[in-house]
Amino acid sequence: MKKFELLAASALAMTAAMPAAAQTGATTSAQNTAPTIGPGQEATSAQSIDPNAASADTGIQDIVVTAQRQSQRLQDVPIAVSAFSADNIEKQQIVNPIALQQSLPSITFTKTGFTTSSFTIRGIGDLCVGVTCDQATAIHVNDMPLATTRLFESEFFDLERVEVLRGPQGTLFGRNATSGVVNFITAKPDLSGVHAAGEFEYGNYDSKRAKAMFNLPITDTLGIRVAGTYLKRDGYTFNTYDNSRIDDRDLYAIRGTLSWEPSSDTRIDLMGYYFREKDNRSRIQKQLCHRDPTGVLGCLPDTKSYETTNGLSTLAAVLTSTEFFNVNNPALGRFALQSLYGADPYAGVVNPADVRTVRLDYRPTYFADEEQYMVKVFHDFGPVNLNITGGYTRNSVDSTVDYNLAVEAPLANNAGLANLNALGRAGSPFAFLNGVRQTLIPNGPAGGVCQSASDPNNVGVYGGNAIGCFPQSLDFDRSRIQNRQFSAEAHIDSKFDGMFNFLLGGIYLDSLSKNNDYFVNAFGLDYASGILGAASSAAIPGVGGNAFLSTPFYRNDSPRFRLKSYGIFGETYFEFSKRAKLTLGLRYNHDDKFVQARNLTLNVLTPYGAQGIQNGFNYAQVDFDPTTPGIQDYARRNVSFGRLTGRAVFDYKIDDNKLLYASYSRGYKSGGINPPVAASFSVPTTFTPEQVDAFEIGSKNTFLNGALRLNVTGFYYKYKGLQLSRIVARTAVNDNVDANIYGLEAEAIVAPIPRFVVNMNASYLHTEITGNKALINPRLPSGGRTDTVIIKDITNASNCVVIPNAGGAAVSNGFVTAVNRGIGLQGPTSISGTGTTGAFGICSVLQAQAAATQTPVTVTDGVPVGLNGNTLPQAPTYKWSVGAQYTMDFGSGWSLVPRADLNYTGNFSASVFNMNIDRVPGYEVVNAQVQLNAPDDRFYLRAFVQNLTNNNAITGQAVADQSSGLYTNIFTIEPRRYGAAVGFKF
């Protein structure tokens, strides 16, 4: 039988990561002894292909990677791959993905809205937002792809390594990806003996972090390994409203692995994992806004300031305004909560001028959990190896957060509520409002206003599902999703003695997402639902006004999304000589997608006490899919995509220490389905697949008798159909654009003496949108034209634009003034910073009047602006990092290892529109630590500081919907953390 090859051996590409192997041999005896590797057993980062390959004069050793599904010396791999061993993760304080990306060239990571995140490689990331979007960066655990995961929310623990492959992938990994792959390799049982490790860390913010591992060989062929982590800390953000802290963490995770090695040719690994978090973590760090005094936009599109959107721009305000009530029924105007030409309901709201300080009245909640079950089977047949990976995952997340990060004024003295309390009673002409009064202000306005919960039954406070009664409106949102996944992958790898070898594999993945919902709640929506519903049902026999318009909140409802995907992939290898090799790979991928979705807000007239909107009076007449003929209760759509892709690589070894390579690869990511929105908005029902032609050249070099390693990579991408997201009609929709990308990456490790090691990397990245693509900028729907009028539609709080076909601004302003006068609205007024005017209005009325009067104007949802030449989001032009450590050996085997790291990420744009408000400044992060190691590393003490300068840098940002006031949500790095840890190993 053949000896098992090194599968999934630990790696370090030449990145900012300081390799564990790059330590003096005196640090650990394992570095001076050739390891024994059994079937499927993972090597540590200190283990080299040849124990004699490391130079005795340097601190750098040869290490093994499996980026191409076979064990290879790092410097022999013709691919841009970065990896971090367990030792690297510890020494560089890489505890989560935010810290991980800081030490990688051409890579950024940021949290995003709706409990998601984006890992961007070379300008390509998860810029597509929606349940039907595929990942641009494929996430794997032990080579198993995860369609959705909470992995980026957990803490790293007991990992063998983390590998990051830059560039399109598909002919090696089971799930195709356009930007790259992040593969988390967990530590497996070691059958050679009993081992254990543990660490406890205490830091500021009362942070308590613990990690532990226990490894037990049950027999000579069977072993088990159990590991876990726990984190509990106070919040990073201070809330001045109740002097509390939010954004805390309380989580734990546990992983168990059982390995069976019946022979030297066979190994079977079974892995189970569970993660759980329940705390007050906030999805949003801060909201910034330069307030628009008119309320037409809410926030001005020029700069980000510590202000709050104009409350008159929000959906809750326009639907409860005097003007909107009068349009529906003039008798209702007296019950309005405000006039659109009166005081801002957010007047007096305080937005503290500090990223880590907020003032909010709704405390965030966060719950997430995940299960993973996996089996890996390896068998060596001699000429070929067989690898099988299969598994099941389940995860869910359910979170709420203060939607506007603001504390609004109390409603005790509101004139509209006072009129409702006085007139909405039996015997009054407005007796039909009695049910609304009793439900929303049972104790009068002074007793507080009652609000709906984010109710999946869609009935809220009118069906008995309320969060309570409060002096002011609590505006909050809720995001949730549940997912389960089955996947199975197999591949065979040949190891013939001749010049030809191959890899052939296939994968099947079935992913089902359920209850993918996004809710926005506000008292104004409850109030509009009740007042308008009561007026609509007052004449219905037996109802007498006891009906409401459901939902009494906003809900984007996607109860089901199914992805079925399969791929067939393979590579052939032609080794012409010991120095020249050609790799050719192909992949066919097929995806079937089905989604069921709808948007709900005040759609269905529903009786009080109903258990759901299906009991509504007009449910059968409400069309939830305006793009399909007939009446639809949901938008149901199926799409299928298939594509053949591949790659070609030629690599040549000048000598054993110098490798040149050139490659071409085609990446592919399937398209998807946009949520249903009204036909009046310029939104395609689907978005097309992405395709990238990637060209890359690279050189991997070792100099100075092994004391210096320098790797350089250059790349050029021709992108077609890059998927980008924007917010339209309170939901995320996606478009496609073309782009060209090129860049240069350099990575180095130098050890002038064995005990002193310095690692460095730097990248230059240029991204440019090409073609004639033009999109509407939600922040500035006028597209910069000064002759338009921006309209805030009082029926849905979205914006439209009146454009003159002739006659300039005088025509558009005069037309809006005349139409508005007829429905009790005022004419246009100047909007600062836009060069144009704006007004409250009704877009459909303006459109109808333009057609009826043949006025030379066009009414549309916006003026598209050309994107040609703009840069892509999350793509910093410059990025670099440098780290250094020195090992000081003392008597009796003790050592002291100080280390420092400096990482810099250059400025970038957070949006394809590249406005000044989209610009995110560059930032630096400084980490440092010192560790005292006992003989044979039996125990250690460590003191550390992360983000030494307490930088509050922004990692990403997103603009809110027009009906929310166009404020900017920002996401930041973690604040300065410091503390001490004690640990042991045996």
Side-chain angles (χ1 to χ4, degrees):
M1 291 184 291
K2 303 291 185 180
K3 185 65 180 175
F4 186 90
E5 291 191 340
L6 296 181
L7 291 177
S10 291
L12 176 69
M14 313 307 296
T15 69
M18 195 294 299
Q23 299 180 29
T24 175
T27 303
T28 170
S29 60
Q31 291 171 309
N32 299 319
T33 305
T36 300
I37 307 299
Q41 183 174 330
E42 306 228 357
T44 68
S45 59
Q47 294 168 339
S48 61
I49 294 176
D50 179 356
N52 299 315
S55 169
D57 299 324
T58 72
I60 303 175
Q61 290 183 312
D62 286 334
I63 49 181
V64 176
V65 298
T66 56
Q68 296 191 118
R69 297 291 184 104
Q70 56 181 310
S71 300
Q72 295 174 283
R73 196 174 67 119
L74 169 67
Q75 295 300 91
D76 295 336
V77 178
I79 212 170
V81 55
S82 303
F84 297 85
S85 71
D87 198 57
N88 303 143
I89 291 170
E90 175 184 305
K91 286 182 168 55
Q92 291 190 253
Q93 304 188 49
I94 301 172
V95 296
N96 55 37
I98 293 178
L100 176 65
Q101 64 91 18
Q102 290 167 0
S103 296
L104 290 167
S106 303
I107 289 176
T108 64
F109 174 85
T110 184
K111 298 177 183 176
T112 56
F114 315 111
T115 68
T116 58
S117 58
S118 178
F119 201 98
T120 301
I121 301 177
R122 294 175 173 176
I124 306 302
D126 295 312
L127 305 175
C128 180
V129 176
V131 66
T132 69
C133 293
D134 284 353
Q135 297 167 316
T137 304
I139 309 301
H140 292 69
V141 172
N142 297 328
D143 301 330
M144 184 177 79
L146 302 177
T148 67
T149 181
R150 312 265 45 102
L151 196 63
F152 278 165
E153 301 173 18
S154 181
E155 300 280 301
F156 297 160
F157 72 99
D158 200 38
L159 294 174
E160 188 69 37
R161 69 186 180 280
V162 179
E163 288 188 352
V164 181
L165 282 71
R166 303 189 295 276
Q169 306 296 327
T171 60
L172 287 170
F173 283 83
R175 186 76 174 143
N176 58 297
T178 46
S179 70
V181 169
V182 182
N183 194 14
F184 295 88
I185 309 298
T186 63
K188 308 299 189 300
D190 180 357
L191 304 182
S192 65
V194 177
H195 303 290
E199 179 180 288
F200 176 77
E201 173 191 299
Y202 184 78
N204 57 330
Y205 297 99
D206 195 27
S207 174
K208 296 173 282 289
R209 177 186 278 113
K211 297 185 290 184
M213 177 278 293
F214 181 69
N215 181 92
L216 176 66
I218 300 173
T219 69
D220 291 341
T221 61
L222 184 68
I224 190 170
R225 185 183 185 106
V226 179
T229 186
Y230 170 76
L231 171 65
K232 185 176 176 61
R233 65 161 171 78
D234 291 342
Y236 289 154
T237 303
F238 183 71
N239 181 15
T240 63
Y241 179 68
D242 59 5
N243 295 322
S244 67
R245 286 199 167 271
I246 62 169
D247 203 24
D248 60 307
R249 301 296 301 273
D250 188 352
L251 62 88
Y252 68 87
I254 188 169
R255 182 190 304 117
T257 306
L258 179 69
S259 294
W260 182 43
E261 186 182 322
S263 72
S264 61
D265 296 320
T266 304
R267 182 170 177 127
I268 299 174
D269 295 314
L270 302 175
M271 190 271 280
Y273 166 85
Y274 180 71
F275 161 79
R276 186 180 190 272
E277 176 179 2
K278 187 176 183 181
D279 46 43
N280 298 110
R281 181 152 68 101
S282 178
R283 300 193 319 270
I284 302 168
Q285 180 63 47
K286 188 76 173 181
Q287 289 177 354
L288 302 179
C289 173
H290 183 199
R291 183 179 176 275
D292 166 26
T294 70
V296 172
L297 293 176
C299 296
L300 296 172
D302 48 7
T303 62
K304 301 185 287 285
S305 302
Y306 288 98
E307 299 176 9
T308 304
T309 188
N310 190 324
L312 296 172
S313 67
T314 65
L315 182 65
V318 299
L319 294 186
T320 56
S321 65
T322 303
E323 291 71 24
F324 181 65
F325 278 4
N326 282 338
V327 167
N328 281 272
N329 184 339
L332 299 179
R334 72 195 70 194
F335 301 108
L337 298 182
Q338 65 278 310
S339 168
L340 297 175
Y341 306 109
D344 178 357
Y346 288 4
V349 166
V350 175
N351 186 3
D354 178 72
V355 169
R356 306 285 178 193
T357 306
V358 296
R359 184 171 179 80
L360 52 87
D361 48 16
Y362 184 90
R363 189 172 180 81
T365 65
Y366 201 95
F367 174 82
D369 71 341
E370 181 162 13
E371 299 173 63
Q372 297 173 7
Y373 304 99
M374 183 186 309
V375 58
K376 290 183 71 71
V377 178
F378 172 88
H379 184 71
D380 185 346
F381 288 98
V384 297
N385 295 331
L386 171 65
N387 290 269
I388 300 174
T389 302
Y392 166 83
T393 68
R394 182 205 61 80
N395 64 76
S396 66
V397 62
D398 193 341
S399 70
T400 64
V401 70
D402 193 300
Y403 188 69
N404 54 13
L405 296 191
V407 179
E408 299 175 32
L411 293 167
N413 298 318
N414 184 272
L417 288 179
N419 286 335
L420 175 64
N421 191 47
L423 300 176
R425 297 176 181 272
S428 164
F430 300 99
F432 62 89
L433 295 175
N434 192 38
V436 181
R437 180 187 63 82
Q438 292 178 329
T439 302
L440 299 184
I441 50 171
N443 300 310
V449 295
C450 304
Q451 288 188 231
S452 292
S454 298
D455 173 26
N457 293 321
N458 299 308
V459 293
V461 65
Y462 298 102
N465 298 315
I467 61 168
C469 305
F470 307 91
Q472 69 275 1
S473 172
L474 300 189
D475 297 357
F476 63 96
D477 72 3
R478 179 186 183 190
S479 180
R480 66 172 190 162
I481 188 174
Q482 298 174 340
N483 177 269
R484 69 101 181 109
Q485 171 192 306
F486 295 98
S487 68
E489 176 186 347
H491 63 88
I492 56 174
D493 314 81
S494 73
K495 44 182 178 175
F496 305 139
D497 293 333
M499 66 172 289
F500 173 78
N501 276 286
F502 70 90
L503 176 149
L504 180 63
I507 185 172
Y508 177 78
L509 183 144
D510 184 336
S511 175
L512 174 64
S513 294
K514 300 172 64 177
N515 300 326
N516 184 14
D517 287 315
Y518 183 67
F519 302 82
V520 179
N521 290 66
F523 173 72
L525 300 180
D526 282 318
Y527 193 71
S529 167
I531 296 292
L532 298 174
S536 300
S537 63
I540 299 177
V543 178
N546 287 320
F548 63 101
L549 291 176
S550 60
T551 64
F553 42 80
Y554 169 74
R555 181 184 183 189
N556 187 313
D557 175 24
S558 299
R560 186 177 180 86
F561 167 65
R562 187 77 174 269
L563 166 66
K564 293 183 179 181
S565 175
Y566 68 84
I568 301 171
F569 55 93
E571 292 194 337
T572 55
Y573 310 103
F574 301 92
E575 192 167 357
F576 302 114
S577 69
K578 291 184 178 181
R579 300 200 181 279
K581 181 180 177 181
L582 175 66
T583 300
L584 299 175
L586 283 176
R587 177 192 182 89
Y588 178 76
N589 198 83
H590 182 86
D591 295 310
D592 289 318
K593 297 183 177 182
F594 166 80
V595 70
Q596 181 180 349
R598 64 183 176 185
N599 288 323
L600 297 160
T601 308
L602 280 62
N603 304 93
V604 181
L605 187 62
T606 307
Y608 282 20
Q611 297 302 304
I613 61 174
Q614 64 275 8
N615 299 315
F617 298 116
N618 64 329
Y619 181 73
Q621 286 77 49
V622 178
D623 183 13
F624 291 99
D625 182 8
T627 62
T628 301
I631 304 298
Q632 315 291 331
D633 61 342
Y634 279 94
R636 295 178 176 87
R637 295 194 179 96
N638 291 278
V639 290
S640 294
F641 304 97
R643 193 70 57 89
L644 182 69
T645 58
R647 75 167 184 145
V649 185
F650 179 77
D651 60 274
Y652 182 79
K653 285 186 178 181
I654 299 175
D655 56 41
D656 289 342
N657 294 317
K658 298 179 183 64
L659 172 73
L660 299 175
Y661 69 91
S663 69
Y664 162 78
S665 59
R666 171 164 289 182
Y668 164 77
K669 185 176 78 165
S670 68
I673 305 165
N674 280 322
V677 296
S680 58
F681 294 96
S682 302
V683 174
T685 56
T686 62
F687 49 94
T688 61
E690 291 184 359
Q691 177 178 295
V692 56
D693 289 315
F695 303 85
E696 183 171 316
I697 58 173
S699 173
K700 296 190 173 185
N701 307 278
T702 302
F703 300 107
L704 303 178
N705 194 31
L708 169 65
R709 285 183 177 169
L710 174 64
N711 296 345
V712 180
T713 305
F715 57 91
Y716 173 77
Y717 289 177
K718 189 76 174 178
Y719 234 100
K720 183 178 181 180
L722 178 65
Q723 297 161 3
L724 297 171
S725 173
R726 58 191 170 107
I727 300 295
V728 176
R730 297 179 294 281
T731 190
V733 302
N734 296 283
D735 304 283
N736 297 90
V737 300
D738 297 339
N740 291 337
I741 301 171
Y742 60 84
L744 185 67
E745 299 161 350
E747 305 159 290
I749 298 177
V750 58
I753 59 175
R755 291 174 175 80
F756 181 52
V757 181
V758 179
N759 56 269
M760 298 167 282
N761 76 52
S763 60
Y764 168 79
L765 181 66
H766 177 89
T767 66
E768 182 179 1
I769 297 175
T770 61
N772 299 316
K773 188 72 173 185
L775 296 174
I776 298 169
N777 186 350
R779 290 189 189 272
L780 188 60
S782 64
R785 288 186 57 167
T786 59
D787 58 351
T788 64
V789 180
I790 303 174
I791 302 297
K792 168 67 73 171
D793 194 320
I794 67 172
T795 68
N796 58 26
S798 294
N799 292 124
C800 68
V801 177
V802 178
I803 307 169
N805 299 330
V811 171
S812 55
N813 282 277
F815 170 72
V816 172
T817 299
V819 175
N820 274 7
R821 186 182 300 118
I823 54 177
L825 300 176
Q826 297 179 11
T829 185
S830 176
I831 304 177
S832 175
T834 66
T836 190
T837 60
F840 292 98
I842 302 176
C843 297
S844 60
V845 172
L846 290 165
Q847 196 169 39
Q849 284 295 106
T853 60
Q854 297 185 344
T855 304
V857 298
T858 299
V859 182
T860 180
D861 55 332
V863 179
V865 293
L867 303 178
N868 192 53
N870 287 4
T871 61
L872 293 173
Q874 303 296 136
T877 303
Y878 300 102
K879 195 171 186 285
W880 56 265
S881 68
V882 60
Q885 78 174 49
Y886 184 78
T887 301
M888 294 177 281
D889 293 323
F890 304 112
S892 304
W894 289 80
S895 65
L896 185 71
V897 185
R899 178 176 178 84
D901 289 274
L902 171 61
N903 311 305
Y904 176 77
T905 300
N907 62 71
F908 59 88
S909 177
S911 164
V912 292
F913 296 105
N914 287 190
M915 298 178 67
N916 180 64
I917 195 172
D918 301 318
R919 184 180 181 274
V920 177
Y923 65 92
E924 81 289 338
V925 177
V926 181
N927 298 332
Q929 70 172 20
V930 59
Q931 181 164 311
L932 177 66
N933 300 301
D936 299 322
D937 292 338
R938 290 295 186 182
F939 67 88
Y940 58 89
L941 298 172
R942 180 172 70 249
F944 68 90
V945 60
Q946 289 180 313
N947 190 8
L948 177 66
T949 61
N950 201 26
N951 197 329
N952 290 324
I954 298 173
T955 61
Q957 64 184 48
V959 62
D961 181 59
Q962 295 168 341
S963 65
S964 302
L966 295 170
Y967 55 74
T968 301
N969 284 326
I970 64 169
F971 311 94
T972 67
I973 62 175
E974 294 186 340
R976 179 168 54 219
R977 292 184 60 251
Y978 54 85
V982 57
F984 70 90
K985 303 174 185 177
F986 70 81

